[in-house]
Amino acid sequence: MYPRWLFSFIPGHDSNLFLSLTVLTLIVVCCEVARRFTRKALAPHAPVCTDAVIEFISTFQLCACSHELRLLSDNSVVDLTVGLTLIYIVTVVHGLTFDGALCNPTWALERTFQCPGSWKVVTLKLACQFAAAVAGRVGTEVIWSWGLSELHQKHLLHKFKCWSGLHTTVLQGAAVELACTFTLHATVMHLLHFETKYRVHFVAAIIAVLVYAGGSRTGAAINPALAYSLFFHCTGNSFQEYVFVYWVGPVLGMVFAVMLLDRVSPQLSKQHGKQQATQSVNRPDNKTD
């Protein structure tokens, strides 16, 4: 049990929130230390192994932080505005610390469209992401078992029981995840020319908007590995339903985004350019008497 007087000097604020923020900070700091150590120890000798370890560490950070944020939301510790603000801030921190890790299977699969010969690297990244998803859930349960706050103690008392994030039909849920993933991928594809320190803020804002739009229906995971960590062990839906909503939906959203922006749009632009050139050639010259 934590000493209550540590937070008694903060009027009008819940100590559960501040302890959760402390947990979030410690998760990020520990993962950042692990990433830097990995870069120094492995990078010169095994670059592929280094990227895999960093993928695991960063995905673990994403999942562990998301579990803590979900706990705050599910127990109404924070209202909608504060919750979305926390999502924005934490997403910015993730973007600045992930060190090139993708942390999302749809981003890894997108690489196979852009570089078909990279399937071995993509497979390794997928394995690391889902392994980290499991580790993230187990790791947060270990932290909660320490009973640092009343919220953690309450969750421990209920044996970490959770309920499905799907609050609509399976088909509609898959459509929501598809639309959210499509929007995110399409937006990021248009932001690639921005520097990382600016791009992360745009991406964080988009994710906050998508969580606001789809969170009440599916939780708006927009990430198969994150959804596997957050929802697949929860009661309320079957494994097959979770797969359809949180795996099939996002993958189809990514595929549609890639096909539309990388394949269809360039072709349409090219055809439009040819039509304009043809019209320019065939346009009769203005003649003066």
Side-chain angles (χ1 to χ4, degrees):
M1 182 67 180
Y2 65 92
R4 294 176 179 271
W5 61 266
L6 285 177
F7 298 95
S8 61
F9 66 92
I10 307 175
H13 288 84
D14 192 339
S15 59
N16 286 317
L17 174 58
F18 282 90
L19 281 166
S20 290
L21 293 177
T22 302
V23 170
L24 290 172
T25 302
L26 290 176
I27 290 171
V28 173
V29 170
C30 291
C31 289
E32 181 63 16
V33 170
R35 273 188 295 264
R36 296 192 178 191
F37 175 80
T38 300
R39 282 292 184 196
K40 291 183 179 180
L42 296 180
H45 312 289
V48 175
C49 183
T50 301
D51 290 340
V53 174
I54 289 179
E55 189 73 39
F56 178 91
I57 295 170
S58 299
T59 307
F60 173 89
Q61 174 181 317
L62 171 66
C63 294
C65 290
S66 298
H67 275 285
E68 190 68 27
L69 289 174
R70 187 191 180 193
L71 186 64
L72 291 174
S73 176
D74 288 350
N75 289 273
S76 301
V77 175
V78 295
D79 58 21
L80 180 62
T81 302
V82 175
L84 292 175
T85 302
L86 287 176
I87 289 173
Y88 171 82
I89 294 173
V90 172
T91 303
V92 170
V93 173
H94 289 336
L96 294 174
T97 60
F98 276 175
D99 195 15
L102 300 176
C103 305
N104 189 331
T106 60
W107 293 111
L109 292 173
E110 183 186 315
R111 295 289 178 90
T112 62
F113 283 88
Q114 299 173 345
C115 185
S118 62
W119 64 269
K120 290 184 179 180
V121 175
V122 169
T123 301
L124 180 60
K125 285 185 177 292
L126 291 175
C128 292
Q129 289 166 1
F130 281 99
V134 176
R137 176 171 62 85
V138 174
T140 49
E141 289 181 354
V142 171
I143 295 173
W144 292 335
S145 68
W146 296 341
L148 298 176
S149 68
E150 292 181 356
L151 182 61
H152 291 176
Q153 292 174 7
K154 178 182 176 181
H155 202 40
L156 174 62
L157 186 64
H158 291 87
K159 299 180 179 179
F160 311 125
K161 189 174 183 179
C162 62
W163 299 96
S164 171
L166 184 62
H167 303 295
T168 184
T169 65
V170 173
L171 187 60
Q172 290 177 348
V176 169
E177 288 292 314
L178 186 155
C180 289
T181 304
F182 175 87
T183 303
L184 180 60
H185 277 259
T187 302
V188 172
M189 287 179 186
H190 284 92
L191 296 175
L192 294 178
H193 62 283
F194 284 91
E195 294 183 36
T196 300
K197 61 181 179 181
Y198 302 121
R199 186 170 63 246
V200 293
H201 292 280
F202 287 106
V203 174
I206 290 297
I207 290 177
V209 170
L210 294 176
V211 170
Y212 174 77
S216 61
R217 295 176 175 84
T218 65
I222 327 175
N223 182 330
L226 178 59
Y228 183 72
S229 184
L230 289 176
F231 302 125
F232 275 53
H233 64 292
C234 298
T235 58
N237 291 95
S238 66
F239 180 81
Q240 292 78 7
E241 290 172 333
Y242 284 134
V243 167
F244 186 73
V245 173
Y246 295 111
W247 288 3
V248 176
V251 170
L252 288 178
M254 177 274 296
V255 171
F256 291 157
V258 171
M259 290 180 63
L260 178 64
L261 299 177
D262 279 2
R263 307 290 172 84
V264 178
S265 293
Q267 289 295 328
L268 292 177
S269 299
K270 187 176 180 180
Q271 291 179 2
H272 182 65
K274 288 182 178 180
Q275 290 177 356
Q276 287 185 330
T278 302
Q279 292 175 359
S280 177
V281 171
N282 295 333
R283 185 182 300 128
D285 294 331
N286 293 328
K287 295 182 180 180
T288 57
D289 294 335

